[in-house]
Amino acid sequence: PEAQAQADELVQSASVAQSEAVIRATAEAAEFDGLYQQYLENPGSVMDGIFRERVSQVLLQMGATVVVPEEGQPPRIILP
């Protein structure tokens, strides 16, 4: 009985993990499809947005500071 209870628990855990993986994959696929439709309509804008998002994530992880300069000057990135 104890082994059967453990087996049932493992099966239940695997079923939950499978359901969560399917839900996550479905959401990611829907997000990709939406982004792809936007890309078809305006590729440059979508690529700029993705680039800015990724650069922001990297800079946050690095602990970098971006200094926004006055008009006409390039931004400066100060690394730790």
Side-chain angles (χ1 to χ4, degrees), residues 12-70:
Q12 181 66 24
S13 294
S15 179
V16 168
Q18 178 187 15
S19 295
E20 290 172 350
V22 168
I23 289 169
R24 189 171 46 254
T26 303
E28 289 175 3
E31 181 181 356
F32 177 83
D33 286 341
L35 187 60
Y36 181 66
Q37 290 302 318
Q38 291 176 5
Y39 175 80
L40 291 176
E41 294 171 12
N42 193 348
S45 189
V46 171
M47 294 305 288
D48 286 347
I50 291 171
F51 176 77
R52 290 172 192 262
E53 180 181 332
R54 296 295 184 238
V55 168
S56 294
Q57 290 173 355
V58 168
L59 291 176
L60 284 174
Q61 289 175 356
M62 291 173 40
T65 302
V66 176
V67 177
V68 179
E70 293 183 25

Side-chain angles (χ1 to χ4, degrees), residues 2-19:
E2 185 177 330
Q4 184 62 45
Q6 288 177 347
D8 291 343
E9 185 178 329
L10 287 174
V11 169
Q12 181 66 24
S13 294
S15 179
V16 168
Q18 178 187 15
S19 295

